[in-house]
Amino acid sequence: MQEAPTEASPGQPLAAYLEAETEYRHVLYLAYDAAPDEGDRPEGLAVLSNLPCRDIRTSWAGGAATHNSFAVNVHVEVPGTIVGITNVHLDWEHQARRVEAIADVVDRLIERHPADVEILCGDFNDHDDGPVAAYLEGHDGFHGVAGRPERRWLDAVASSMDASAAPVTLDFAGNPRWRGTEVTERSGRFDRIYLRGRGRPAPRIIGTGVFGQRPANRFGIVPSDHYGVFVDLEL
């Protein structure tokens, strides 16, 4: 979860709420160390898991520069396999900051703390044909990635279908959150899940999809301005 509020309601921490209201046995919530903008609520990143999270790292630890982007990396152990999960929320406003941040996250949180299987996911705030995707997928122009096939990331949703059919997650036309708002930007697949195996193939993808597209309460509100993404994997 990205942009997760510190509190579910006044005086109720989000982590406690999620522990009580979901069936996940392990709820990890890490608040950003930066003060929110005026009028905004304090936020952070969350990871919900049925396996213990260990070796927890954040991109902002020790006062490191985040380029207005945030990431948390955890390891979970599936019998015989260490899975690294990195959850990101990249800068929504400046493309250059996003590219700088994703390179830093891959270097500091992933490459220096390798796992057998890597999952890199979250809100990239960048189109799937943008520079962040080009960096991760090793497209021309990023030779340091393209020259190392084992360093390339697999876009799980796009790779499991015709990429042109992959559903958007920032849906200005269909998401009720944007109804009555004049938006000039194009809808896009900002929220993605990338996979990579270290010395082995990436996990097999069994199924993918999006959720959170329909109103979840009597007020007609959907859970988020972005749809959620899921990928079922076989390790």
Side-chain angles (χ1 to χ4, degrees):
M1 300 173 66
Q2 305 84 39
E3 292 187 283
T6 301
E7 293 184 325
S9 60
Q12 183 183 32
L14 179 67
Y17 173 82
L18 293 173
E19 288 171 352
E21 297 295 331
T22 75
E23 296 180 357
Y24 289 100
R25 292 184 293 168
H26 304 277
V27 175
L28 176 67
Y29 180 81
L30 295 161
Y32 303 148
D33 63 349
D37 294 334
E38 186 176 354
D40 286 349
R41 63 191 182 189
E43 295 178 340
L45 296 170
V47 177
L48 286 69
S49 175
N50 281 321
L51 298 170
C53 298
R54 68 187 203 192
D55 303 328
I56 300 163
R57 306 173 187 87
T58 68
S59 61
W60 60 88
T66 62
H67 317 291
N68 199 36
S69 300
F70 302 91
V72 59
N73 171 271
V74 303
H75 285 178
V76 298
E77 185 171 2
V78 179
T81 302
I82 302 299
V83 180
I85 302 170
T86 305
N87 180 15
V88 304
H89 179 231
L90 300 188
D91 182 277
W92 67 273
E93 199 169 14
H94 299 287
Q95 186 178 84
R97 285 184 187 172
R98 292 193 288 271
V99 174
E100 190 173 3
I102 198 63
D104 180 62
V105 166
V106 170
D107 175 47
R108 283 198 299 120
L109 298 189
I110 299 175
E111 295 291 355
R112 299 184 193 182
H113 308 281
D116 300 317
V117 170
E118 304 281 6
I119 300 172
L120 172 60
C121 59
D123 178 4
F124 293 88
N125 268 318
D126 207 51
H127 285 281
D128 54 6
D129 58 359
V132 170
Y135 172 81
L136 293 172
E137 297 169 30
H139 296 174
D140 291 344
F142 292 97
H143 301 297
V145 178
R148 298 283 299 276
E150 75 279 10
R151 297 281 181 94
R152 298 180 188 177
W153 294 85
L154 180 70
D155 182 333
V157 173
S159 68
S160 65
M161 62 181 69
D162 182 340
S164 64
V168 299
T169 63
L170 182 57
D171 182 4
F172 295 119
N175 191 326
R177 286 263 181 151
W178 300 101
R179 191 171 296 144
T181 303
E182 184 177 347
V183 180
T184 57
E185 298 177 48
R186 62 183 171 114
S187 297
R189 200 163 57 89
F190 278 29
D191 308 85
R192 303 188 292 275
I193 299 173
Y194 289 97
L195 309 173
R196 194 176 71 178
R198 193 175 294 270
R200 66 173 74 185
R204 189 167 75 89
I205 300 165
I206 299 173
T208 70
V210 297
F211 58 94
Q213 296 166 289
R214 293 183 173 85
N217 56 33
R218 62 188 176 89
F219 300 106
I221 297 174
V222 293
S224 174
D225 57 341
H226 292 220
Y227 300 146
V229 183
F230 74 86
V231 173
D232 293 330
L233 303 173
E234 182 180 74
L235 294 174

